[in-house]
Amino acid sequence: MQIFKKTIILSAVGVIALFAVSCKKSPFKGYTEERQGVYYKFYTSNEKAAKLETGDLIRGSISVWKNDSVELDNTNGQTVTLGLLDSSNFMYPVLKNAHLGDSISIIFLADTLKNLKIIKLSNEIKATDYIKFSLKIVDKMSKNQLDSANNVRMKAMETAQANEKASLQKYLTDNKIQATPTESGLIYIETKKGTGKEAVAGKSVKVNYAGYLIDGTLFDTSIEKIAKDHKLDQPGREFKPIDFPLGMGYVIPGWDEAIAKMKVGGKAKLIIPSSIAYGAQGRPSIPPFSTLVFDVELLDVFDAPATPAMAQ
């Protein structure tokens, strides 16, 4: 469901920026103590492979354990960005001598990580729990390569941002839409007047929807027939209306604003600029700086708090 925001409980980004090297004794066999409550170990060291250099962007696989319980596992071939290698990273003295293909394990008290304020841990993790990271360095991008890729990306973003206004104007002209945008830029077009309960902030709402890019490409819907008609492939998707608390940030700002204009039984077309949708970040199926078009129907308004599965 593309509308909900994500809440990250445990992030792997920034893991490499934790520790520096020392040669202290360790209670964990084979591990070296860097500081009290922090231990590291190289499982493999591929000295014939390319060495990491200052400024490299490092990618690899990572697993995270709390005591003996797996919290996160990306070792099944999935590669994630681990971070930049530079002298500001606490682990720089270790990784500056590492190579592609090296595997490293780090054990530390959760309290140590919380104090560093680098990674947000779940409230279920206690200060006395031991957290273990195992990471394998799979790939790297040099500073020059990274700068070049960033320049290409920035130019593409600038082009997308410049084109958004023109694309929206063409859409409005082609569809003979003359509705006045709200202050936020939302264009709200009522297609069927609702006669039931009014949607107000603090209430929970139930909504059916179909979401399109400005060129008409369907990227998400709660209605199976629409998905089939547009040949939208979402394996395992359960098609049903979504519930969410209105006005509490569970959905993009354009939705919170628009649904609050509706009554049960009502339908509307929402034209939502990227500034109140997904902005420069976009989503896997939504390019950066995309104006979105939604057909929505308000099915119910109720007092009981909803718990949107995709918002968790």
Side-chain angles (χ1 to χ4, degrees):
M1 166 54 190
Q2 295 283 355
I3 300 306
F4 288 120
K5 298 177 178 177
K6 282 188 175 181
T7 300
I8 300 175
I9 295 177
L10 178 62
S11 170
V13 177
V15 168
I16 69 169
L18 297 179
F19 313 112
V21 181
S22 69
C23 297
K24 301 175 184 178
K25 293 182 179 180
S26 164
F28 299 98
K29 186 176 180 180
Y31 285 76
T32 299
E33 183 179 18
E34 184 279 320
R35 67 181 67 171
Q36 186 175 4
V38 179
Y39 314 91
Y40 69 91
K41 171 183 178 181
F42 275 76
Y43 282 111
T44 59
S45 182
N46 298 296
E47 295 183 0
K48 294 183 179 181
K51 185 178 178 182
L52 299 187
E53 302 289 345
T54 299
D56 284 349
L57 177 70
I58 305 172
R59 291 178 58 79
S61 59
I62 187 167
S63 295
V64 183
W65 288 266
K66 180 187 76 172
N67 298 330
D68 293 325
S69 175
V70 175
E71 292 284 315
L72 174 70
D73 189 358
N74 290 130
T75 58
N76 59 351
Q78 182 179 359
T79 301
V80 297
T81 299
L82 299 176
L84 284 170
L85 178 62
D86 59 45
S87 58
S88 66
N89 289 339
F90 286 94
M91 202 177 174
Y92 176 73
V94 174
L95 292 183
K96 73 175 183 180
N97 296 313
H99 301 76
L100 291 181
D102 284 2
S103 296
I104 307 166
S105 178
I106 304 161
I107 298 175
F108 53 87
L109 282 169
D111 189 52
T112 302
L113 186 58
K114 287 181 178 179
N115 289 339
L116 289 173
K117 297 181 180 179
I118 294 173
I119 298 176
K120 182 180 179 182
L121 294 176
S122 166
N123 291 331
E124 297 175 359
I125 296 178
K126 300 175 183 178
T128 54
D129 286 333
Y130 273 101
I131 308 298
K132 175 183 176 183
F133 283 92
S134 288
L135 61 110
K136 181 175 182 179
I137 301 168
V138 175
D139 196 9
K140 70 169 186 170
M141 182 179 289
S142 71
K143 185 178 185 304
N144 287 340
Q145 290 174 319
L146 182 59
D147 288 344
S148 177
N150 283 337
N151 286 336
V152 171
R153 183 178 62 85
M154 289 303 297
K155 288 180 180 179
M157 297 274 277
E158 289 170 1
T159 299
Q161 186 175 19
N163 289 342
E164 181 179 12
K165 186 175 181 179
S167 297
L168 172 57
Q169 188 55 55
K170 183 178 185 304
Y171 177 85
L172 297 176
T173 300
D174 291 348
N175 291 276
K176 299 183 168 88
I177 296 173
Q178 298 181 339
T180 302
T182 66
E183 186 176 346
S184 71
L186 168 71
I187 297 176
Y188 177 87
I189 303 169
E190 187 176 64
T191 56
K192 179 183 176 182
K193 191 172 186 62
T195 58
K197 293 179 182 178
E198 184 178 0
V200 295
K203 298 284 187 179
S204 287
V205 295
K206 179 177 289 187
V207 180
N208 258 333
Y209 69 95
Y212 305 85
L213 301 180
I214 201 80
D215 65 2
T217 301
L218 178 74
F219 64 83
D220 193 24
T221 181
S222 62
I223 303 170
E224 187 171 11
K225 183 180 184 307
I226 293 177
K228 288 182 177 179
D229 289 346
H230 287 261
K231 295 180 172 55
L232 180 65
D233 186 22
Q234 294 180 314
R237 169 68 185 272
E238 182 181 5
F239 292 94
K240 63 179 182 179
I242 59 168
D243 295 352
F244 62 92
L246 186 62
M248 298 177 64
Y250 278 88
V251 292
I252 56 176
W255 259 54
D256 267 337
E257 180 182 351
I259 302 302
K261 297 177 179 294
M262 302 180 71
K263 292 182 179 180
V264 171
K267 296 182 180 182
K269 181 179 293 291
L270 318 178
I271 303 172
I272 303 177
S274 65
S275 58
I276 51 173
Y278 293 108
Q281 288 72 38
R283 284 295 185 273
S285 56
I286 300 174
F289 296 108
S290 290
T291 295
L292 306 179
V293 180
F294 290 94
D295 293 322
V296 298
E297 179 182 10
L298 181 59
L299 302 176
D300 196 10
V301 174
F302 51 98
D303 292 330
T307 306
M310 294 299 290
Q312 294 179 342

